[in-house]
Every structure is written in C-alpha cells, then in structure tokens.
Amino acid sequence: MSARTARTARTRFLAATAITLAALTLTACNDGNGVRGEGPSDTSASSAQPSGPAADASSTAKPAGNGTASSTGGSGGSTGGSKSTSTAAGSTQGSGKKNGTGSKTGSTGQAGTRNVACDGSTTKTTATAVSRPLNHLLLTVTNTGTRNCDLTGYPIARFAEAQSVPPVAEETHPQAVVTLAPGESGYAGVLLSAADGSGTNGYTAKTLEIGFDKGRSATPALPAKGVYIDDKLTVTYWQQGLDDALAY
C-alpha cells in the first residue's frame, strides 16, 4: 500500500470516529424530549425545590396561592380580630354601663329600702320587772316587720296619768344607732325609784305607754300589781344589748 492510500484510510477512520463521538455526545446531552439538560442546574433546582416529603413540608411552610390568600385572610382576620376585640370591649363596656346602671339603680334601691324608724306598728314592746338591779324595769322592743328598723333616741315613757315623762340618763347614749333586723330586739332600762328611799312623790302605776321618735306608740303590760315609781324615775337610751340597758 502506498503512503497516500494509507493517509486517506486514516483520514476516513478519524472522520468516522469523530462522527461517532459527536453522535454519542448528542445522545448523552439529549433528555429524550428534545430538551437539553444541564446537570449542575438540575441539581440546584432539585435542591431548591425538593420533591417528596421535603417538598410537602416546604409547601406547608410557605404555601403559594391559597397560602397567600390565607395570609391576606389572616391579615383580614387580624383586622377582624381587632374589630371583634373592639366589639368585645364595647360589649364589656356596655356591660359595665349596664352594671353601672344597675349600681345606680341599686343605690336608688338602697335609698328606697333605707331603714325605717322603729315604732309600735312594726315592733312588739314588753316591760319586765327585774330583781337586779333593784327597782328597775326592762323594756324590750322586738322587730316584727320584714325590714330593718332604727331604734333611735330613748323611750318616751308615760306611766298612768302622768303629765310629764321621765328624763334620760345622758351617760347611756350609745356609740351607734341601734338597728334591728327582723326578729331582733333592742332594750332600755327604767329606774323606777331610788333604792335608798330618798325619792319623793311616789305612787303605783298600772299602765304604761311607750312613745318612739316617730310613728305609733306601744302599750306594754305591767305586772298585775303595778310598779312603784317616784321622782327619781329615769330611763336609758335604747341599747343593742340587754346588759347595757341595765347597767345604769
């Protein structure tokens, strides 16, 4: 074979080899759909948007579409929440105003149900002779009504046909108004006569009328034999406790 023939054969071989390599390169770079794939770029895209559970998690973390709507809705919800809160606050304020009105009404109610004065129409009064201290009478006033009443001042005691009433011992003035709830009692003591006999103008009384600061009077029964009184006759202020009434 001549040198020229050998060169021609070699050239053809190299050309065939180049064509074959070109064909293989085209086949490797073709993804089968006529789209050229870029290896590193595919890997980056895969990393950016993983498939499977990771992709689901990513979608959950930052949803598109509905997620944006949800975010907008959330903002609206936030606004709605503020509005709702405002409404709730308004409702609370409304409730407060209502309660305030109730309180105001309650005050009016309290004024309307303010304690009345105790008198003979809502109480029962008894007069009991006691052995200690000597020559004393115990007056007991019991609230028979349905409301609290104030037993103020002292008993305006009128024995028999006396034209005047006995004085009160000022030192027995209570520190607070005596208030009687329904069923409760208040007391007052009556010094009928001097224990040492120093009193004058004595007589026996068989009837007694007790007047109050306001309202009707009461007529408690005295012992059948009556009670002896003289010019030392004195009463105490109305007291909350029995012992205080008999301390004078």
Side-chain angles (χ1 to χ4, degrees), residues 16 31 56 58 140 195:
D31 60 1
D56 294 340
S58 176
T140 303

CSV table of all heavy atoms in Angstrom, one decimal, residues 16 31 56 58 140 195:
chain,number,residue,atom,x,y,z
A,16,ALA,N,-14.8,9.1,10.7
A,16,ALA,CA,-15.8,8.2,11.2
A,16,ALA,C,-15.9,8.2,12.7
A,16,ALA,O,-16.9,8.2,13.4
A,16,ALA,CB,-15.6,6.8,10.7
A,31,ASP,N,-32.3,14.7,26.6
A,31,ASP,CA,-33.1,14.1,27.7
A,31,ASP,C,-34.2,13.2,27.2
A,31,ASP,O,-35.0,12.7,27.9
A,31,ASP,CB,-33.7,15.1,28.7
A,31,ASP,CG,-34.6,16.1,28.0
A,31,ASP,OD1,-34.8,15.9,26.8
A,31,ASP,OD2,-35.1,17.0,28.7
A,56,ASP,N,-43.3,18.7,50.4
A,56,ASP,CA,-44.6,19.0,51.1
A,56,ASP,C,-44.4,19.9,52.3
A,56,ASP,O,-45.2,20.7,52.6
A,56,ASP,CB,-45.2,17.6,51.5
A,56,ASP,CG,-45.6,16.8,50.3
A,56,ASP,OD1,-45.7,17.4,49.2
A,56,ASP,OD2,-45.7,15.6,50.5
A,58,SER,N,-42.0,22.0,52.7
A,58,SER,CA,-41.7,23.4,52.2
A,58,SER,C,-43.0,24.1,51.8
A,58,SER,O,-43.2,25.2,52.1
A,58,SER,CB,-40.8,23.3,51.0
A,58,SER,OG,-40.5,24.6,50.5
A,140,THR,N,-88.2,45.9,126.3
A,140,THR,CA,-87.7,45.1,125.2
A,140,THR,C,-88.6,45.4,124.0
A,140,THR,O,-89.8,45.3,124.0
A,140,THR,CB,-87.7,43.6,125.5
A,140,THR,OG1,-87.0,43.3,126.6
A,140,THR,CG2,-87.1,42.8,124.3
A,195,ALA,N,-83.3,53.4,145.3
A,195,ALA,CA,-83.2,52.2,146.1
A,195,ALA,C,-83.0,52.5,147.6
A,195,ALA,O,-83.4,51.7,148.5
A,195,ALA,CB,-82.0,51.4,145.6
